[in-house]
Amino acid sequence: MPHPFFSCQRVKRPTHPVHPARSVDATRSRFAAVRATWLPTYLLLCLLAAAGNSVASTITDFDGAVARGLPTGLRGDLPVHETARADATRAAAIMHVDTRMPVKLVYPDSGEASLYRGKVDGYPAIFTRYADRLDIFVNAAPHSDAYNISYAGEKTHPEVRVLTQPATSETLGDIVLPAIKKTPASTTGDRPKAKSGIRKPPEWVFSIFVHDDAKNVALNDHLSWWIGLIEAMLPAGRTMKIDIRRDLPGITDFAYTGGDTARKLLDWSAQVDAQFPQDEAGVNNKFLLFTDEWVSAGVGGIAHQGGDYGIASAKGHQFLAHEFGHMLKATHENAEIRYNGWWCETIMFATALDLRSNCYDYSDANEKLIRAYLE
Ligand SMILES: [Zn+2]
């Protein structure tokens, strides 16, 4: 990465004597003397430049820009050899951070994240800032695939992940179950709606249990943009929280593959109920198990329509949003294919096809259903 003050690549060793009239020996000894004093300083500067890596400098720039007030803009370093975009030779992305989203996103180890809306190189973007990380989802669909720029503190250079559809000729789908009545405290089914003006309406809490096999999956490729969609649909006065949970025996090590998938979901929801009794007043809970593998062959997820429990695989980038969509009463029938230079599938489309891109959006008809449910 080019340092603002000097570049290790720019410094070239002289290839010929500066004063040709002098003897070769005199010139050599002069070079040796200069090298003895200059080389250690040069190496030290290179080490300092490496310590101030492009990840750390972009995160520092981001924090500084946001602290000075929104909206704001900055340049974010990109990987040297990234291929996500046509202009791959550029070393920086132009970032605009517009607003902070009023949502709570809580990681088990890293505390609370801050989410922002904005644009990167003109495309809609969601920024997630937490711990020593900055993840940026950039929605370039439908012209090209969406991508995520990830600045992680333990790395020197950012990573760009292009979010493609799962490459498969199988028919992909999911399993939709009718809503079930559970314990009286459950939020499933006909929830009594909060009467505005009398009591604060319940907070929407989406608990995402990351299966032990999905620990290394980049969660924000599936999550941050979905949070952005739901936050935009929240009725006035409603708040939302997303709880990421890991390492919970019985829940995150649950054997979800094989056998009767509907039975599996029931067994898993019983585990959740046992550890997270839904007796908390003022909260509407939704629980999702996020897995690395297919839920079963060619099945990306399972959920109760309008229910509280679901399982979604990381094999497709819209599956998490799709299963939460069912839990919020969105339907396959209301999904659509959009065309704007290329085809993309809205989230609730029943069968994913890798020829099309993802829209990373619900259809207008499904958005209407979700908005009504979130009331
Ligand atoms: Zn479905």
Side-chain angles (χ1 to χ4, degrees), residues 92-297:
I94 306 301
M95 301 176 175
H96 288 100
V97 189
D98 296 331
T99 54
R100 182 167 175 179
M101 280 196 258
V103 296
K104 280 174 269 179
L105 168 60
V106 183
Y107 290 90
D109 310 318
S110 317
E112 200 165 318
S114 304
L115 287 111
Y116 304 86
R117 291 181 194 281
K119 280 193 160 60
V120 169
D121 293 340
Y123 293 115
I126 301 284
F127 301 78
T128 310
R129 175 76 181 93
Y130 62 107
D132 61 348
R133 301 180 69 102
L134 172 64
D135 284 346
I136 307 166
F137 173 85
V138 185
N139 193 355
H143 307 96
S144 54
D145 287 310
Y147 56 95
N148 211 324
I149 313 172
S150 194
Y151 298 87
E154 74 273 13
K155 297 193 175 151
T156 306
H157 296 291
E159 179 191 358
V160 172
R161 293 184 300 274
V162 181
L163 311 184
T164 54
Q165 291 270 46
T168 175
S169 56
E170 287 178 74
T171 302
L172 306 181
D174 71 332
I175 299 171
V176 193
L177 305 170
I180 49 164
K181 294 274 184 189
K182 291 186 72 72
T183 58
S186 168
T187 57
T188 304
D190 301 323
R191 292 170 298 104
K193 289 191 176 176
K195 292 189 176 71
S196 58
I198 298 172
R199 187 184 286 181
K200 195 172 172 238
E203 178 166 59
W204 283 105
V205 178
F206 299 93
S207 296
I208 299 170
F209 297 89
V210 178
H211 196 278
D212 294 353
D213 70 6
K215 271 184 180 173
N216 295 321
V217 172
L219 183 59
N220 272 327
D221 294 0
H222 308 256
L223 181 64
S224 64
W225 56 270
W226 175 76
I227 296 173
L229 292 179
I230 299 300
E231 190 272 327
M233 296 182 208
L234 274 185
R238 281 284 208 159
T239 55
M240 74 183 275
K241 177 183 178 185
I242 300 92
D243 256 334
I244 313 297
R245 298 182 180 275
R246 300 176 194 269
D247 301 315
L248 291 166
I251 296 180
T252 62
D253 58 358
F254 184 81
Y256 59 91
T257 55
D260 178 351
T261 306
R263 182 73 243 169
K264 291 274 183 185
L265 179 59
L266 278 177
D267 291 346
W268 181 76
S269 58
Q271 290 285 338
V272 172
D273 280 350
Q275 294 191 43
F276 296 88
Q278 295 185 55
D279 53 5
E280 201 180 340
V283 170
N284 289 146
N285 277 302
K286 298 287 176 188
F287 301 100
L288 187 97
L289 179 63
F290 182 65
T291 68
D292 189 38
E293 296 299 326
W294 296 105
V295 176
S296 59

Side-chain angles (χ1 to χ4, degrees), residues 174 176 322-323 326 332 348:
D174 71 332
V176 193
H322 184 108
E323 300 313 322
H326 281 305
H332 294 170
M348 299 310 293

Side-chain angles (χ1 to χ4, degrees), residues 6 37 40 48 50 66 90 152 169 232 249 259 275 300:
F6 83 108
T37 55
L48 287 172
V66 166
R90 278 206 303 134
S169 56
Q275 294 191 43

Side-chain angles (χ1 to χ4, degrees), residues 2-20:
H3 191 275
F5 304 112
F6 83 108
S7 162
C8 292
Q9 286 89 23
R10 265 205 294 273
V11 179
K12 285 188 182 142
R13 202 159 59 113
T15 53
H16 57 81
V18 180
H19 303 288

